[in-house]
């Protein structure tokens, strides 16, 4: 198994509520891992250092899960039909293991590998939200939402962090229609959706920072951030 990537970001957020607070800076730690693909069991790494299974990941994440100044996000692809064998045997067995650790998870294309009924069952086992603002049902309404919102606002270190996710531009090709989380599900334009979400987070929620945890190529996310002002 290749190392599960954990990217550490430090946001230094100025709190400008009062003149006295203008000089106060709060450090919020954000961790993100993605494309875990059911590699729960450690595999040989052919000489690669720092490679192990899910136990090592939990050991690394747990201190941050207990830190009120930290947030942990999953970029999705937590399953993968056919490889490894663990996935076909246990599907989403690990999803509830992340309860109390992960704050939100992006919907990844492989999370639909076992079809809509299995996806719904898996979703019922977790307490953290699955995010994907541009994943729509047949009527054009967002599939992943709560109280009419396709994003989440998190409190960390006394500041507000707005988090949202987007399906990649290749999801239409990668996920067969019969496997999608709902009949007739489709994927809306990423840029247009991001503009709507960022506007809501900035203008209505008044967050201190906006974080995209979507499931797409890094180059696509960088281009999106350049096209949509307001994504930190």
């Amino acid at each position: 198994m290749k190392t599960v990537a954990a990217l550490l970001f430090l946001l230094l957020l100025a709190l400008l509520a009062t003149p006295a607070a203008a000089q106060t800076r709060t450090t919020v730690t954000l961790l993100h891992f993605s494309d875990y693909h059911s590699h729960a069991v450690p595999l040989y790494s052919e000489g690669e250092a720092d490679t192990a299974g899910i136990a090592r990941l939990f050991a690394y994440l747990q201190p941050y899960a207990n830190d009120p100044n930290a947030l942990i996000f999953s970029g999705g692809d937590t399953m993968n039909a056919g490889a490894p064998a663990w996935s076909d045997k246990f599907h989403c067995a690990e999803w509830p293991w992340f309860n109390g650790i992960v704050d939100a998870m992006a919907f990844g294309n492989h999370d639909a590998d076992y079809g809509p009924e299995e996806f719904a069952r898996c979703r019922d086992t977790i307490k953290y939200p699955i995010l994907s603002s541009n994943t729509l049902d047949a009527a054009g309404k967002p599939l992943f939402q709560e109280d009419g919102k396709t994003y989440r606002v998190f409190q960390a270190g006394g500041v507000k962090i707005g988090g949202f996710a987007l399906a990649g531009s290749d999801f239409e090709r990668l996920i067969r229609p019969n496997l999608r989380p709902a009949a007739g599900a489709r994927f809306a334009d990423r840029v247009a959706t991001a503009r709507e979400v960022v506007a809501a987070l900035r203008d209505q929620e008044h967050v201190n920072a906006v974080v995209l945890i979507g499931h797409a190529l890094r180059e696509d996310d960088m281009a999106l951030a350049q096209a949509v002002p307001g994504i930190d």
Side-chain angles (χ1 to χ4, degrees), residues 136-154:
L136 312 178
D137 62 18
K141 297 181 179 180
L143 271 176
F144 302 101
Q145 59 177 314
E146 184 176 317
D147 297 328
K149 300 176 180 180
T150 65
Y151 54 80
R152 292 293 183 276
V153 176
F154 304 94

Side-chain angles (χ1 to χ4, degrees), residues 42-132:
L43 302 178
Y44 290 107
S45 61
E46 298 184 2
E48 294 182 29
D50 299 324
T51 302
I54 200 169
R56 181 177 181 134
L57 176 63
F58 284 140
Y60 181 85
L61 294 178
Q62 191 62 63
Y64 294 99
N66 296 332
D67 184 349
N69 288 9
L71 295 170
I72 301 172
F73 299 123
S74 166
D77 268 12
T78 53
M79 298 187 290
N80 197 146
W86 172 282
S87 186
D88 288 342
K89 291 178 182 177
F90 302 109
H91 292 195
C92 60
E94 309 96 294
W95 284 28
W97 300 354
F98 287 101
N99 285 334
I101 294 180
V102 165
D103 291 287
M105 166 183 154
F107 172 60
N109 54 289
H110 281 289
D111 296 319
D113 276 359
Y114 298 104
E117 292 183 1
E118 182 65 5
F119 179 81
R121 185 193 70 79
C122 292
R123 192 178 181 185
D124 286 342
T125 68
I126 60 176
K127 299 178 181 179
Y128 48 90
I130 298 176
L131 303 179
S132 188

